[in-house]
Amino acid sequence: KRAVSIQKCIRAGGKHNDLDAVGFTARHLTFFEMMGNFSFGDYFKKEAIRFAWDFLTKEINLKPETLYITVYTDDQEAYDIWNKEIGVPESRISRLGAKDNFWQMGDTGPCGPCTEIYVDRGSDIGCKTPECAPGCSCDRFIEIWNNVFMQFDRQANGQDKPLTQTGVDTGMGLERITMIVQDKNSVYDTDLFSFIIQETEKITGKNYESSSPEIQAAFRVLADHIRSSSLAISDGCSPSNDGRGYVLRKIIRRAALFSQKLSDKSFFPELSDSVVKQLGGIYPELEINKNLIKSVIKSETEKFEANLISGQQILNKYFEINKQTKKISGDQAFKLYDTYGFPLELTVLIAQENGFEVDAAGFEVEMEKQREQSGKKTAHAEENIELSPDIKTVFTGYQKTEDIGYVLAIIKYGQLVKAASKDEIVSLILDKSPFYVECGGQISDQGEIEIKGKTAQILSLKKINNAIAIEVKLPETVAISESVKQAVNKEFRTNTMKNHTATHLLQAALVQVLGKTVKQSGSVVTPDYLRFDFTYHENLTQDQITKVEDIINRKITENIQTNITETTYKAAVDKGV
């Protein structure tokens, strides 16, 4: 019911994008360690607020008079706990709106109000205006603690339905609290970063303390970006043009640009050694993957540096062409991205240094055009169906390829109905089913259903919460509680299973030949073929490929017995899985 954690976090894109601010403020980072405590239906607002206050004022001895509180506008309960029970005066409690003090991950789902704790670092810091208060974008008030009170389930119509079980999700940034405890002006002045900055000084011959603000910012960017790059790569991420790989690419390329302010040499990959030395004892994956980390960063940096000169020449032409408007168009920004690998954030950075703006909205229009042309445009997910918790399917496919299930629900045109007629296309949810739904790279089963003696091939399978939805053109009328016979296509299933086993043989062989730096990045398993995606810092040689093939073929001919057991994650990993 309770948990505490410390987790690696990277924040450089999407909903919370602080990338432009990193290196230029006292608190923004792309990588940080988030300390948390959680309640799952156990303690709630009163206890969580007391825990936070006692930890900050009694355990690490922050002065209570320097702590300021924010609560969500409508959360009178949290306000009263702070004011009447903890004793924080009204003058140090602010009510903020949903943008600052209401947490939701998406448009629907669990959400709730927040209460945050800020440290006042003094009126001589930050914007120095009389209006400065928690929530101001300057560096005077630093948020160090955030309690999220999970108490609602937001519906598609925007209504907040109370959750049957409330919870608490707490976050506190290790770097920020370290800055406060060590009484430093910036997170970068703490001992979490000093080692990396010292290594940068040795390599470049520049002194951080005596440098100009512009050069100090470059030191800070590199110190942050080498931590996030190293940890992302050690967790299996690799630079690419979309998804998490694009976030990593943006970080490495931004660092490559800033490294030029400190030296003509390409030294950014060398800084990864300092991250491994400092954090390898806590995160052993850094030590295991240290060669891979350096190699990936070096490769990405070299690719970018080759395009950087050409790209900057084009950008300089745009500055000349647009000197009247002082604006880089979306089309121009997209050309820099598409032709020279300039992430938008990089173009914005260089443009700002030259007093120009970038049409970010226009850039997104051009990106959308490219997605449509490449066929990668994401289809809209079909309308979400809200199923009651008792509608769930027991998967029997590990034991059986044929089974009888009883109809729990019928979905027709996005609506729940009690019955459906012959030839209508619906999704049936049964109490049990042998049909495997696509997961872990393995595609869904094929098969047929039988209703009242008449059969039909299934069209598709989908998971909805804990239920299996079987889409089918009905061979006969069907209603809730009626029985449906199900049969898996055995040949399709067996061949798919063989290729799934072969995928694991391939991974094991790759690890044997190339070492533990091989990281799986995805897979596809069908009856006809398998595809295994993995990250490795070099192309495989023909000799290595032959060795991998020989190992797999030898294991196949050994015809090893496959045993299926259920166990805990930890026990599996301890056995070497």
Side-chain angles (χ1 to χ4, degrees):
K1 290 185 176 181
R2 299 182 179 192
V4 292
S5 69
I6 183 158
Q7 63 187 36
K8 297 178 285 188
C9 300
I10 288 181
R11 192 159 96 172
K15 181 180 165 189
H16 299 291
N17 188 356
D18 297 328
L19 191 57
D20 290 344
V22 171
F24 295 92
T25 69
R27 67 189 189 280
H28 285 109
L29 299 162
T30 58
F31 169 80
F32 55 98
E33 294 182 270
M34 180 68 80
M35 301 152 79
N37 59 279
F38 301 84
S39 164
F40 310 104
D42 191 19
Y43 65 83
F44 200 45
K45 292 184 185 181
K46 186 175 179 179
E47 297 86 349
I49 287 172
R50 171 58 69 184
F51 289 160
W53 185 256
D54 285 353
F55 180 79
L56 293 174
T57 60
K58 295 177 181 178
E59 298 295 332
I60 56 175
N61 299 317
L62 299 189
K63 295 174 183 174
E65 63 271 18
T66 66
L67 301 179
Y68 283 68
I69 311 302
T70 66
V71 297
Y72 179 53
T73 312
D74 300 335
D75 194 354
Q76 188 62 41
E77 182 186 1
Y79 188 98
D80 288 342
I81 294 168
W82 280 117
N83 181 233
K84 294 174 182 174
E85 297 190 32
I86 303 297
V88 178
E90 290 183 8
S91 59
R92 297 213 312 273
I93 308 175
S94 305
R95 294 180 187 266
L96 297 179
K99 181 176 178 291
D100 294 290
N101 276 75
F102 195 93
W103 187 92
Q104 58 187 99
M105 190 63 189
D107 294 331
T108 59
C111 58
C114 311
T115 182
E116 296 178 326
I117 305 173
Y118 287 74
V119 175
D120 181 6
R121 301 169 68 222
S123 57
D124 57 332
I125 295 173
C127 64
K128 301 176 185 174
T129 61
E131 298 81 28
C132 188
C136 181
S137 60
C138 78
D139 283 332
R140 175 179 171 179
F141 290 93
I142 296 287
E143 177 213 328
I144 55 168
W145 194 294
N146 182 11
N147 271 332
V148 178
F149 301 123
M150 294 293 192
Q151 62 185 108
F152 300 115
D153 181 7
R154 180 154 292 177
Q155 308 299 298
N157 62 7
Q159 286 187 326
D160 290 335
K161 194 166 85 176
L163 287 167
T164 52
Q165 179 172 289
T166 58
V168 176
D169 179 346
T170 294
M172 177 174 69
L174 175 64
E175 293 79 4
R176 291 189 184 187
I177 198 68
T178 303
M179 176 180 78
I180 300 301
V181 170
Q182 295 182 358
D183 194 24
K184 300 294 185 182
N185 291 325
S186 157
V187 291
Y188 298 99
D189 297 330
T190 67
D191 56 9
L192 294 169
F193 288 90
S194 56
F195 180 62
I196 300 171
I197 289 173
Q198 286 163 12
E199 290 299 302
T200 309
E201 287 178 323
K202 287 178 191 173
I203 293 170
T204 62
K206 284 189 166 52
N207 182 273
Y208 174 67
E209 291 292 340
S210 61
S211 293
S212 67
E214 182 188 12
I215 297 300
Q216 285 186 339
F219 268 98
R220 292 192 291 267
V221 167
L222 297 177
D224 167 81
H225 287 14
I226 196 61
R227 294 202 328 159
S228 53
S229 302
S230 299
L231 282 148
I233 294 165
S234 74
D235 274 338
C237 188
S238 57
S240 67
N241 277 336
D242 54 24
R244 63 182 189 168
Y246 184 56
V247 173
L248 176 58
R249 172 160 285 169
K250 285 192 298 188
I251 292 170
I252 294 175
R253 294 191 171 190
R254 186 171 187 258
L257 193 68
F258 275 93
S259 70
Q260 294 189 339
K261 296 179 185 294
L262 300 182
S263 174
D264 293 333
K265 293 187 296 181
S266 178
F267 68 89
F268 183 61
E270 303 304 314
L271 292 178
S272 63
D273 290 337
S274 59
V275 180
V276 175
K277 282 178 189 170
Q278 189 173 33
L279 294 177
I282 305 162
Y283 299 119
E285 58 272 24
L286 285 167
E287 184 66 45
I288 291 167
N289 295 293
K290 62 183 179 183
N291 293 331
L292 173 69
I293 292 165
K294 190 180 289 187
S295 178
V296 169
I297 295 174
K298 186 171 185 285
S299 172
E300 183 64 21
T301 303
E302 286 173 351
K303 282 181 205 165
F304 180 57
E305 284 172 349
N307 282 341
L308 187 57
I309 296 168
S310 303
Q312 283 183 313
Q313 287 173 348
I314 297 295
L315 197 46
N316 287 335
K317 282 184 187 174
Y318 292 157
F319 290 150
E320 183 62 31
I321 294 167
N322 303 327
K323 60 186 175 185
Q324 299 299 324
T325 61
K326 291 282 183 181
K327 196 165 189 175
I328 302 297
S329 70
D331 179 55
Q332 291 169 335
F334 180 74
K335 185 178 179 184
L336 284 162
Y337 161 77
D338 200 36
T339 311
Y340 300 105
F342 271 49
L344 177 64
E345 288 81 356
L346 221 54
T347 301
V348 169
L349 178 68
I350 300 170
Q352 284 174 345
E353 288 181 343
N354 288 271
F356 277 68
E357 290 181 16
V358 178
D359 178 10
F363 174 85
E364 287 303 326
V365 170
E366 296 301 320
M367 278 291 286
E368 190 65 17
K369 283 182 194 171
Q370 189 195 58
R371 289 187 195 110
E372 287 175 350
Q373 288 166 1
S374 65
K376 289 182 180 177
K377 186 175 172 68
T378 305
H380 291 291
E382 67 179 68
E383 187 179 354
N384 286 329
I385 296 292
E386 188 150 338
L387 298 175
S388 73
D390 58 338
I391 297 180
K392 50 190 172 187
T393 307
V394 175
F395 175 64
T396 59
Y398 288 135
Q399 297 84 30
K400 302 177 180 180
T401 53
E402 293 186 6
D403 210 344
I404 294 173
Y406 292 89
V407 179
L408 299 177
I410 304 169
I411 302 169
K412 179 173 136 182
Y413 302 127
Q415 301 293 323
L416 289 169
V417 295
K418 292 184 178 177
S421 304
K422 180 183 176 182
D423 292 332
E424 287 187 320
I425 295 177
V426 300
S427 289
L428 302 177
I429 294 177
L430 311 179
D431 64 336
K432 56 183 178 175
S433 175
F435 292 129
Y436 183 88
V437 183
E438 183 168 345
C439 184
Q442 179 171 324
I443 64 170
S444 296
D445 278 338
Q446 290 183 0
E448 64 181 26
I449 61 153
E450 181 182 318
I451 300 173
K452 297 168 187 168
K454 295 183 180 176
T455 62
Q457 294 294 315
I458 62 174
L459 302 175
S460 71
L461 296 165
K462 182 184 174 186
K463 269 278 186 81
I464 303 177
N465 299 333
N466 293 316
I468 296 173
I470 306 165
E471 187 183 33
V472 66
K473 185 176 180 180
L474 290 174
E476 191 51 84
T477 58
V478 71
I480 300 293
S481 299
E482 289 185 352
S483 67
V484 175
K485 190 175 179 182
Q486 306 157 82
V488 174
N489 180 323
K490 292 179 187 175
E491 184 181 7
F492 187 96
R493 163 78 79 84
T494 303
N495 288 338
T496 305
M497 287 168 64
K498 287 176 181 177
N499 277 337
H500 200 149
T501 301
T503 305
H504 294 294
L505 289 173
L506 173 55
Q507 183 175 15
L510 285 166
V511 169
Q512 273 190 38
V513 173
L514 303 177
K516 290 185 178 180
T517 58
V518 169
K519 299 285 183 190
Q520 181 176 351
S521 298
S523 65
V524 173
V525 181
T526 77
D528 305 314
Y529 70 95
L530 66 91
R531 194 193 80 227
F532 182 75
D533 309 333
F534 66 97
T535 57
Y536 190 64
H537 58 285
E538 294 173 339
N539 290 335
L540 271 64
T541 64
Q542 187 56 52
D543 183 52
Q544 287 171 326
I545 292 170
T546 302
K547 282 181 181 174
V548 168
E549 290 175 350
D550 288 347
I551 291 168
I552 297 167
N553 288 329
R554 188 165 65 247
K555 290 299 172 187
I556 291 171
T557 57
E558 286 176 18
N559 199 24
I560 303 163
Q561 180 66 39
T562 304
N563 296 308
I564 297 171
T565 57
E566 284 195 17
T567 183
T568 65
Y569 175 80
K570 185 178 184 305
V573 172
D574 288 346
K575 284 182 182 176
V577 172

PDB file of all heavy atoms in Angstrom, residues 477-498:
ATOM      1  N   THR A 477     -27.408 -14.843 -34.961  1.00  0.00           N
ATOM      2  CA  THR A 477     -27.730 -13.882 -33.899  1.00  0.00           C
ATOM      3  C   THR A 477     -27.079 -14.331 -32.595  1.00  0.00           C
ATOM      4  O   THR A 477     -26.889 -15.531 -32.353  1.00  0.00           O
ATOM      5  CB  THR A 477     -29.253 -13.770 -33.685  1.00  0.00           C
ATOM      6  OG1 THR A 477     -29.763 -15.057 -33.364  1.00  0.00           O
ATOM      7  CG2 THR A 477     -29.942 -13.215 -34.919  1.00  0.00           C
ATOM      8  N   VAL A 478     -26.759 -13.333 -31.749  1.00  0.00           N
ATOM      9  CA  VAL A 478     -26.121 -13.659 -30.470  1.00  0.00           C
ATOM     10  C   VAL A 478     -26.579 -12.655 -29.418  1.00  0.00           C
ATOM     11  O   VAL A 478     -26.901 -11.498 -29.740  1.00  0.00           O
ATOM     12  CB  VAL A 478     -24.573 -13.646 -30.601  1.00  0.00           C
ATOM     13  CG1 VAL A 478     -24.037 -12.234 -30.763  1.00  0.00           C
ATOM     14  CG2 VAL A 478     -23.907 -14.330 -29.405  1.00  0.00           C
ATOM     15  N   ALA A 479     -26.633 -13.094 -28.161  1.00  0.00           N
ATOM     16  CA  ALA A 479     -27.062 -12.222 -27.062  1.00  0.00           C
ATOM     17  C   ALA A 479     -26.178 -12.477 -25.842  1.00  0.00           C
ATOM     18  O   ALA A 479     -25.440 -13.483 -25.778  1.00  0.00           O
ATOM     19  CB  ALA A 479     -28.527 -12.475 -26.721  1.00  0.00           C
ATOM     20  N   ILE A 480     -26.242 -11.561 -24.882  1.00  0.00           N
ATOM     21  CA  ILE A 480     -25.492 -11.702 -23.638  1.00  0.00           C
ATOM     22  C   ILE A 480     -25.808 -13.051 -22.994  1.00  0.00           C
ATOM     23  O   ILE A 480     -26.956 -13.506 -23.006  1.00  0.00           O
ATOM     24  CB  ILE A 480     -25.847 -10.556 -22.656  1.00  0.00           C
ATOM     25  CG1 ILE A 480     -25.509  -9.189 -23.252  1.00  0.00           C
ATOM     26  CG2 ILE A 480     -25.133 -10.740 -21.322  1.00  0.00           C
ATOM     27  CD1 ILE A 480     -24.042  -8.912 -23.449  1.00  0.00           C
ATOM     28  N   SER A 481     -24.776 -13.691 -22.443  1.00  0.00           N
ATOM     29  CA  SER A 481     -24.853 -14.974 -21.706  1.00  0.00           C
ATOM     30  C   SER A 481     -24.876 -16.207 -22.605  1.00  0.00           C
ATOM     31  O   SER A 481     -24.761 -17.333 -22.115  1.00  0.00           O
ATOM     32  CB  SER A 481     -26.060 -15.029 -20.754  1.00  0.00           C
ATOM     33  OG  SER A 481     -25.952 -14.001 -19.797  1.00  0.00           O
ATOM     34  N   GLU A 482     -25.009 -16.033 -23.920  1.00  0.00           N
ATOM     35  CA  GLU A 482     -25.006 -17.200 -24.806  1.00  0.00           C
ATOM     36  C   GLU A 482     -23.576 -17.740 -24.960  1.00  0.00           C
ATOM     37  O   GLU A 482     -22.590 -17.018 -24.786  1.00  0.00           O
ATOM     38  CB  GLU A 482     -25.587 -16.856 -26.175  1.00  0.00           C
ATOM     39  CG  GLU A 482     -27.089 -16.617 -26.121  1.00  0.00           C
ATOM     40  CD  GLU A 482     -27.699 -16.395 -27.496  1.00  0.00           C
ATOM     41  OE1 GLU A 482     -26.960 -16.279 -28.492  1.00  0.00           O
ATOM     42  OE2 GLU A 482     -28.931 -16.315 -27.561  1.00  0.00           O
ATOM     43  N   SER A 483     -23.491 -19.024 -25.329  1.00  0.00           N
ATOM     44  CA  SER A 483     -22.173 -19.658 -25.461  1.00  0.00           C
ATOM     45  C   SER A 483     -21.631 -19.505 -26.877  1.00  0.00           C
ATOM     46  O   SER A 483     -22.390 -19.465 -27.853  1.00  0.00           O
ATOM     47  CB  SER A 483     -22.248 -21.140 -25.093  1.00  0.00           C
ATOM     48  OG  SER A 483     -23.038 -21.832 -26.046  1.00  0.00           O
ATOM     49  N   VAL A 484     -20.292 -19.408 -26.963  1.00  0.00           N
ATOM     50  CA  VAL A 484     -19.603 -19.293 -28.250  1.00  0.00           C
ATOM     51  C   VAL A 484     -18.421 -20.251 -28.230  1.00  0.00           C
ATOM     52  O   VAL A 484     -17.593 -20.223 -27.310  1.00  0.00           O
ATOM     53  CB  VAL A 484     -19.091 -17.848 -28.485  1.00  0.00           C
ATOM     54  CG1 VAL A 484     -18.274 -17.778 -29.773  1.00  0.00           C
ATOM     55  CG2 VAL A 484     -20.247 -16.861 -28.526  1.00  0.00           C
ATOM     56  N   LYS A 485     -18.324 -21.108 -29.256  1.00  0.00           N
ATOM     57  CA  LYS A 485     -17.200 -22.024 -29.366  1.00  0.00           C
ATOM     58  C   LYS A 485     -16.070 -21.317 -30.119  1.00  0.00           C
ATOM     59  O   LYS A 485     -16.316 -20.641 -31.117  1.00  0.00           O
ATOM     60  CB  LYS A 485     -17.626 -23.289 -30.105  1.00  0.00           C
ATOM     61  CG  LYS A 485     -16.590 -24.399 -30.067  1.00  0.00           C
ATOM     62  CD  LYS A 485     -17.124 -25.669 -30.720  1.00  0.00           C
ATOM     63  CE  LYS A 485     -16.075 -26.757 -30.694  1.00  0.00           C
ATOM     64  NZ  LYS A 485     -16.558 -27.978 -31.376  1.00  0.00           N
ATOM     65  N   GLN A 486     -14.840 -21.467 -29.626  1.00  0.00           N
ATOM     66  CA  GLN A 486     -13.694 -20.785 -30.240  1.00  0.00           C
ATOM     67  C   GLN A 486     -12.632 -21.809 -30.608  1.00  0.00           C
ATOM     68  O   GLN A 486     -12.381 -22.750 -29.848  1.00  0.00           O
ATOM     69  CB  GLN A 486     -13.080 -19.781 -29.254  1.00  0.00           C
ATOM     70  CG  GLN A 486     -14.082 -18.779 -28.686  1.00  0.00           C
ATOM     71  CD  GLN A 486     -13.579 -18.210 -27.356  1.00  0.00           C
ATOM     72  OE1 GLN A 486     -12.775 -17.283 -27.349  1.00  0.00           O
ATOM     73  NE2 GLN A 486     -14.042 -18.773 -26.252  1.00  0.00           N
ATOM     74  N   ALA A 487     -11.995 -21.621 -31.780  1.00  0.00           N
ATOM     75  CA  ALA A 487     -10.941 -22.540 -32.221  1.00  0.00           C
ATOM     76  C   ALA A 487      -9.804 -21.734 -32.845  1.00  0.00           C
ATOM     77  O   ALA A 487     -10.020 -20.958 -33.778  1.00  0.00           O
ATOM     78  CB  ALA A 487     -11.490 -23.544 -33.226  1.00  0.00           C
ATOM     79  N   VAL A 488      -8.622 -21.942 -32.305  1.00  0.00           N
ATOM     80  CA  VAL A 488      -7.421 -21.265 -32.825  1.00  0.00           C
ATOM     81  C   VAL A 488      -6.920 -22.023 -34.049  1.00  0.00           C
ATOM     82  O   VAL A 488      -6.950 -23.260 -34.079  1.00  0.00           O
ATOM     83  CB  VAL A 488      -6.314 -21.239 -31.740  1.00  0.00           C
ATOM     84  CG1 VAL A 488      -5.008 -20.678 -32.306  1.00  0.00           C
ATOM     85  CG2 VAL A 488      -6.771 -20.439 -30.529  1.00  0.00           C
ATOM     86  N   ASN A 489      -6.443 -21.294 -35.068  1.00  0.00           N
ATOM     87  CA  ASN A 489      -5.783 -21.909 -36.217  1.00  0.00           C
ATOM     88  C   ASN A 489      -4.451 -22.477 -35.721  1.00  0.00           C
ATOM     89  O   ASN A 489      -3.498 -21.738 -35.462  1.00  0.00           O
ATOM     90  CB  ASN A 489      -5.557 -20.857 -37.313  1.00  0.00           C
ATOM     91  CG  ASN A 489      -4.877 -21.420 -38.546  1.00  0.00           C
ATOM     92  OD1 ASN A 489      -4.001 -22.266 -38.465  1.00  0.00           O
ATOM     93  ND2 ASN A 489      -5.272 -20.914 -39.701  1.00  0.00           N
ATOM     94  N   LYS A 490      -4.387 -23.819 -35.571  1.00  0.00           N
ATOM     95  CA  LYS A 490      -3.240 -24.453 -34.904  1.00  0.00           C
ATOM     96  C   LYS A 490      -1.941 -24.276 -35.685  1.00  0.00           C
ATOM     97  O   LYS A 490      -0.874 -24.040 -35.099  1.00  0.00           O
ATOM     98  CB  LYS A 490      -3.516 -25.940 -34.673  1.00  0.00           C
ATOM     99  CG  LYS A 490      -4.613 -26.204 -33.654  1.00  0.00           C
ATOM    100  CD  LYS A 490      -4.851 -27.693 -33.495  1.00  0.00           C
ATOM    101  CE  LYS A 490      -6.067 -27.954 -32.602  1.00  0.00           C
ATOM    102  NZ  LYS A 490      -6.380 -29.386 -32.550  1.00  0.00           N
ATOM    103  N   GLU A 491      -2.002 -24.412 -36.999  1.00  0.00           N
ATOM    104  CA  GLU A 491      -0.783 -24.291 -37.802  1.00  0.00           C
ATOM    105  C   GLU A 491      -0.219 -22.869 -37.698  1.00  0.00           C
ATOM    106  O   GLU A 491       0.986 -22.668 -37.527  1.00  0.00           O
ATOM    107  CB  GLU A 491      -1.067 -24.638 -39.269  1.00  0.00           C
ATOM    108  CG  GLU A 491       0.193 -24.622 -40.120  1.00  0.00           C
ATOM    109  CD  GLU A 491      -0.092 -24.947 -41.584  1.00  0.00           C
ATOM    110  OE1 GLU A 491      -1.272 -25.058 -41.967  1.00  0.00           O
ATOM    111  OE2 GLU A 491       0.884 -25.066 -42.354  1.00  0.00           O
ATOM    112  N   PHE A 492      -1.122 -21.878 -37.769  1.00  0.00           N
ATOM    113  CA  PHE A 492      -0.714 -20.468 -37.657  1.00  0.00           C
ATOM    114  C   PHE A 492      -0.062 -20.211 -36.297  1.00  0.00           C
ATOM    115  O   PHE A 492       1.012 -19.620 -36.204  1.00  0.00           O
ATOM    116  CB  PHE A 492      -1.961 -19.587 -37.828  1.00  0.00           C
ATOM    117  CG  PHE A 492      -1.683 -18.113 -37.894  1.00  0.00           C
ATOM    118  CD1 PHE A 492      -1.554 -17.469 -39.110  1.00  0.00           C
ATOM    119  CD2 PHE A 492      -1.585 -17.348 -36.737  1.00  0.00           C
ATOM    120  CE1 PHE A 492      -1.317 -16.103 -39.184  1.00  0.00           C
ATOM    121  CE2 PHE A 492      -1.339 -15.980 -36.787  1.00  0.00           C
ATOM    122  CZ  PHE A 492      -1.199 -15.356 -38.020  1.00  0.00           C
ATOM    123  N   ARG A 493      -0.702 -20.694 -35.242  1.00  0.00           N
ATOM    124  CA  ARG A 493      -0.196 -20.505 -33.878  1.00  0.00           C
ATOM    125  C   ARG A 493       1.164 -21.199 -33.702  1.00  0.00           C
ATOM    126  O   ARG A 493       2.117 -20.616 -33.171  1.00  0.00           O
ATOM    127  CB  ARG A 493      -1.208 -21.041 -32.864  1.00  0.00           C
ATOM    128  CG  ARG A 493      -0.666 -21.280 -31.444  1.00  0.00           C
ATOM    129  CD  ARG A 493      -0.516 -20.021 -30.623  1.00  0.00           C
ATOM    130  NE  ARG A 493      -1.794 -19.587 -30.090  1.00  0.00           N
ATOM    131  CZ  ARG A 493      -2.361 -20.052 -28.968  1.00  0.00           C
ATOM    132  NH1 ARG A 493      -1.760 -21.002 -28.267  1.00  0.00           N
ATOM    133  NH2 ARG A 493      -3.511 -19.568 -28.563  1.00  0.00           N
ATOM    134  N   THR A 494       1.271 -22.457 -34.144  1.00  0.00           N
ATOM    135  CA  THR A 494       2.500 -23.233 -33.931  1.00  0.00           C
ATOM    136  C   THR A 494       3.681 -22.586 -34.646  1.00  0.00           C
ATOM    137  O   THR A 494       4.773 -22.445 -34.077  1.00  0.00           O
ATOM    138  CB  THR A 494       2.314 -24.687 -34.414  1.00  0.00           C
ATOM    139  OG1 THR A 494       1.210 -25.268 -33.723  1.00  0.00           O
ATOM    140  CG2 THR A 494       3.564 -25.517 -34.159  1.00  0.00           C
ATOM    141  N   ASN A 495       3.471 -22.187 -35.903  1.00  0.00           N
ATOM    142  CA  ASN A 495       4.568 -21.559 -36.648  1.00  0.00           C
ATOM    143  C   ASN A 495       4.965 -20.218 -36.033  1.00  0.00           C
ATOM    144  O   ASN A 495       6.144 -19.860 -36.006  1.00  0.00           O
ATOM    145  CB  ASN A 495       4.171 -21.373 -38.109  1.00  0.00           C
ATOM    146  CG  ASN A 495       4.140 -22.699 -38.853  1.00  0.00           C
ATOM    147  OD1 ASN A 495       4.774 -23.660 -38.439  1.00  0.00           O
ATOM    148  ND2 ASN A 495       3.388 -22.756 -39.948  1.00  0.00           N
ATOM    149  N   THR A 496       3.991 -19.494 -35.521  1.00  0.00           N
ATOM    150  CA  THR A 496       4.280 -18.222 -34.857  1.00  0.00           C
ATOM    151  C   THR A 496       5.095 -18.464 -33.586  1.00  0.00           C
ATOM    152  O   THR A 496       6.064 -17.754 -33.302  1.00  0.00           O
ATOM    153  CB  THR A 496       2.980 -17.480 -34.515  1.00  0.00           C
ATOM    154  OG1 THR A 496       2.196 -17.327 -35.702  1.00  0.00           O
ATOM    155  CG2 THR A 496       3.270 -16.093 -33.941  1.00  0.00           C
ATOM    156  N   MET A 497       4.693 -19.480 -32.821  1.00  0.00           N
ATOM    157  CA  MET A 497       5.421 -19.815 -31.593  1.00  0.00           C
ATOM    158  C   MET A 497       6.873 -20.189 -31.899  1.00  0.00           C
ATOM    159  O   MET A 497       7.798 -19.800 -31.177  1.00  0.00           O
ATOM    160  CB  MET A 497       4.728 -20.968 -30.856  1.00  0.00           C
ATOM    161  CG  MET A 497       3.424 -20.565 -30.167  1.00  0.00           C
ATOM    162  SD  MET A 497       2.473 -21.991 -29.610  1.00  0.00           S
ATOM    163  CE  MET A 497       3.576 -22.709 -28.396  1.00  0.00           C
ATOM    164  N   LYS A 498       7.075 -20.934 -32.972  1.00  0.00           N
ATOM    165  CA  LYS A 498       8.444 -21.325 -33.345  1.00  0.00           C
ATOM    166  C   LYS A 498       9.292 -20.086 -33.630  1.00  0.00           C
ATOM    167  O   LYS A 498      10.458 -20.005 -33.222  1.00  0.00           O
ATOM    168  CB  LYS A 498       8.407 -22.244 -34.569  1.00  0.00           C
ATOM    169  CG  LYS A 498       7.898 -23.652 -34.277  1.00  0.00           C
ATOM    170  CD  LYS A 498       7.790 -24.466 -35.555  1.00  0.00           C
ATOM    171  CE  LYS A 498       7.266 -25.874 -35.264  1.00  0.00           C
ATOM    172  NZ  LYS A 498       7.084 -26.642 -36.510  1.00  0.00           N
TER     173      LYS A 498
END
